[in-house]
Amino acid sequence: MRRPEPDPSPAAPTVLPVEPQTLLLTMVRAVGDAIVIADETGTITMWTGAAEQIFGWRADEAVGRPVTTIVPERLRDAHHAGLRRVADGGERRVVGRGPVEVIGLRRDGSEFPVELTLASDVHDGRRFHAAIMRDVSARHAAAGELQAALRELERSNAELQQFASVASHDLHEPLRIVDGYLGLLRRRTAGQLDDTSVEFIDNAVGAVGRMQALIDDLLRYARAGAGTAGGAEVDLAEVAGEALARIAASVEAAGAHVELGELPVVHGDASLLRQVLQNLLANAVKFRREDRTPHVRVGARRLDDAWEISVVDNGIGVDDEAARRIFAMFGRGRGAGRDRAGSGIGLALCKRAVEAHGGVIRVLHAPDGGSDFRFTLPDHTETPT
């Protein structure tokens, strides 16, 4: 069956059931923003319901009053000067191309911030000024609360870093004493203790070392949230090379192969980004499979407005349950047994450092069963136009 051809003739115009002026007036009165119209003498000729709500004057009270009724007295001279400038110069818009913020005056005498768009035009030989106004008191209050919260957050972060520094020093001191006495005990009893006693001393020394590492990690974690986005330029290729050099002994002991791909230049804190890559590389080597040579690949790809950095390994991987908690403080994945134990802070530090740069971090399943850690860093470079 042949489909009928479309009618090429234009459709007849739709006829509105009401006069356009009446429809326009109905729409104006329904707008949520206050609309006030004044004539060339500055007398109010139109006053919408929204104007009643934000200024407190009923329409029958406002119409016929001078428009300066809603302008604080100290600002009225500037208001008159602006209107005269429009009348003399024939400008259609009084306050520029977009809305500006001014001060309004309510019926009860209180002042409040108003977002104003003001235009002027001539109709039937008479000039009228139309103002669209919005009460932005709630916006100001929210902005003030946000600024207060940011100041409190900055103060809290400063206190946290100060506390972490003091606590690190005060906790390290007794650990150094314990470690010193254990070393002295080992030397003075050399050849006098049985194997079990020697093992006890070695375990105690190891526990002291782990505690010192935990304190250092906690200090780094506290410092990682200092807000580093938009800092100095950081060459991630150079930073990744430094991170790899710091774990060279572990890489060599594991017989691992680490491949560093092309990495971008970003903005941020070089020491924090080095710590992120060092932690991810160290984990990739640590959580390896015994039946294969460890292989780790570091790469990057460009997103719309960010760089995504990936660290992919062929190790034991991360199951779905562990992936949900692995970035939390002391969160651990499978295989984090005693022989592979760490402080449990490394990935939490990575998350905190990445978020301080305005990015996000996540872990996926690598195709060969390993882990695929990815984190983003905003791209602050300007695109040529």
Side-chain angles (χ1 to χ4, degrees):
M1 180 176 178
R2 185 176 179 182
R3 181 177 299 175
E5 295 292 333
D7 184 2
S9 60
T14 302
V15 178
L16 296 176
V18 294
E19 291 295 328
Q21 186 175 355
T22 304
L23 178 61
L24 180 60
L25 185 60
T26 301
M27 293 174 62
V28 165
R29 287 172 174 168
V31 170
D33 293 340
I35 299 179
V36 176
I37 297 178
D39 63 16
E40 56 195 0
T41 68
T43 302
I44 297 173
T45 61
M46 179 177 177
W47 186 267
T48 62
E52 293 183 349
Q53 294 178 5
I54 72 171
F55 288 104
W57 295 91
R58 298 195 312 271
D60 60 341
E61 297 173 318
V63 172
R65 285 179 175 272
V67 74
T68 50
T69 301
I70 59 175
V71 178
E73 186 172 357
R74 68 183 186 280
L75 303 176
R76 289 174 184 174
D77 288 343
H79 168 80
H80 288 304
L83 294 183
R84 283 196 301 270
R85 186 177 67 252
V86 173
D88 295 342
E91 300 178 34
R92 294 175 60 87
R93 190 175 294 275
V94 180
V95 293
R97 295 186 175 277
V100 297
E101 195 168 294
V102 297
I103 303 298
L105 180 66
R106 295 190 180 94
R107 181 174 186 173
D108 61 8
S110 61
E111 297 182 2
F112 65 106
V114 175
E115 189 177 79
L116 167 69
T117 300
L118 185 60
S120 178
D121 204 355
V122 176
H123 180 70
D124 290 339
R126 298 178 62 195
R127 180 173 291 278
F128 290 88
H129 307 291
I132 301 176
M133 292 171 282
R134 175 177 299 176
D135 183 353
V136 291
S137 300
R139 183 194 303 173
H140 274 227
E145 292 175 1
L146 177 60
Q147 289 299 319
L150 289 175
R151 288 193 296 269
E152 176 61 21
L153 180 60
E154 290 175 357
R155 184 195 62 79
S156 178
N157 276 339
E159 288 185 354
L160 174 61
Q161 292 178 51
Q162 183 179 11
F163 169 78
S165 297
V166 173
S168 174
H169 176 272
D170 291 349
L171 291 174
H172 268 303
E173 187 59 28
L175 288 175
R176 281 192 289 267
I177 295 174
V178 172
D179 187 57
Y181 277 116
L182 287 172
L184 181 61
L185 179 62
R186 177 189 288 167
R187 290 191 297 273
R188 289 192 174 183
T189 60
Q192 301 177 29
L193 300 177
D194 58 22
D195 292 343
T196 301
S197 299
V198 172
E199 183 181 357
F200 287 164
I201 294 176
D202 290 342
N203 288 341
V205 171
V208 170
R210 289 192 295 274
M211 187 62 185
Q212 290 174 326
L214 175 59
I215 293 170
D216 290 338
D217 283 346
L218 284 171
L219 180 60
R220 282 191 288 268
Y221 180 83
R223 290 173 174 169
T228 57
E233 283 193 350
V234 179
D235 186 342
L236 282 185
E238 181 178 339
V239 167
E242 294 171 354
L244 182 58
R246 294 187 177 191
I247 62 168
S250 299
V251 172
E252 183 178 356
H257 174 66
V258 179
E259 176 186 343
L260 299 181
E262 292 187 8
L263 297 174
V265 174
V266 297
H267 285 72
D269 185 295
S271 63
L272 281 181
L273 295 176
R274 184 186 305 111
Q275 189 66 52
V276 171
L277 288 170
Q278 182 177 331
N279 286 353
L280 294 179
L281 288 170
N283 280 352
V285 174
K286 181 191 300 183
F287 296 103
R288 60 188 181 275
R289 289 178 52 167
E290 301 301 331
D291 60 344
R292 62 174 62 167
T293 300
H295 188 191
V296 187
R297 301 185 307 278
V298 181
R301 70 185 181 109
R302 180 75 174 270
L303 304 179
D304 290 339
D305 56 355
W307 286 100
E308 183 181 68
I309 315 301
S310 60
V311 179
V312 186
D313 64 62
N314 63 343
I316 63 175
V318 179
D319 58 35
D320 293 336
E321 181 181 353
R324 288 190 291 270
R325 65 173 186 272
I326 201 168
F327 294 107
M329 288 281 283
F330 307 112
R332 297 179 184 273
R334 64 180 182 180
R338 186 176 182 82
D339 59 329
R340 293 174 173 172
S343 65
I345 298 177
L347 290 177
L349 187 151
C350 290
K351 180 175 184 291
R352 188 171 172 88
V354 168
E355 290 179 348
H357 284 78
V360 294
I361 188 170
R362 56 182 176 146
V363 60
L364 306 173
H365 298 294
D368 54 3
S371 301
D372 180 357
F373 284 88
R374 301 184 184 186
F375 63 93
T376 59
L377 296 172
D379 181 15
H380 294 279
T381 58
E382 296 183 0
T383 303
T385 57

